[in-house]
Amino acid sequence: MTGRLVTIRSALGGRLRFFAASAHLPAAVLDLGGVGRMAGPACVAPAAAVALWDAHRRGDLARRARLQEAIWPLNALFVRHGAAPLVKLALDEAGYPCGDPVRPQRPAPESVRGELRAVLAGIAEALDA
């Protein structure tokens, strides 16, 4: 993904601004000149996504790295279980039950709920640091 962004940026000479829609490492995309990110993990942990962006804009690379590291386990959950199942589980966890994902996707296993809670707690801790 990031290699392709370098290719596009080089070919267009900076005439196109880009953001990442599926980047697991938003800091890398931002370093390549990306102007933002839209992805399932950012929808589940929006405060962390905004804080990472703010840290990047301020040049606070240490905070940005801590946030990127805290967000990584959420990305791993998305990779393992899929975007729709994880977003729906997170919405349910937040008190917004919205049912199962559209078939043929399956809901995330109920056992993932505890893992999601732990990951979100780690992200919240990183935000407070």
Side-chain angles (χ1 to χ4, degrees), residues 41-89:
C43 294
V44 170
V50 170
L52 189 145
W53 171 253
D54 288 342
H56 174 78
R57 292 193 60 183
R58 286 191 320 271
D60 187 347
L61 301 183
R63 178 165 172 76
R64 186 186 78 169
R66 284 191 308 273
L67 290 166
Q68 178 68 80
E69 181 136 349
I71 294 167
W72 182 252
L74 183 59
N75 292 328
L77 283 176
F78 269 79
V79 169
R80 275 198 334 263
H81 300 288
L86 253 293
V87 167
K88 287 180 170 277
L89 181 65

Side-chain angles (χ1 to χ4, degrees), residues 2-122:
T2 52
R4 186 160 205 178
L5 291 175
V6 173
T7 300
I8 293 167
R9 183 185 68 185
S10 297
L12 296 175
R15 294 187 311 257
L16 176 70
R17 295 169 51 135
F18 60 90
F19 71 97
S22 62
H24 296 309
L25 295 171
V29 173
L30 295 173
D31 284 343
L32 292 172
V35 296
R37 171 183 184 228
M38 188 279 305
C43 294
V44 170
V50 170
L52 189 145
W53 171 253
D54 288 342
H56 174 78
R57 292 193 60 183
R58 286 191 320 271
D60 187 347
L61 301 183
R63 178 165 172 76
R64 186 186 78 169
R66 284 191 308 273
L67 290 166
Q68 178 68 80
E69 181 136 349
I71 294 167
W72 182 252
L74 183 59
N75 292 328
L77 283 176
F78 269 79
V79 169
R80 275 198 334 263
H81 300 288
L86 253 293
V87 167
K88 287 180 170 277
L89 181 65
L91 285 168
D92 185 67
E93 187 63 27
Y96 301 102
C98 56
D100 292 340
V102 175
R103 298 180 120 220
Q105 295 182 85
R106 296 175 188 222
E110 191 59 33
S111 61
V112 175
R113 187 178 297 273
E115 192 174 353
L116 176 62
R117 286 178 184 158
V119 166
L120 294 176

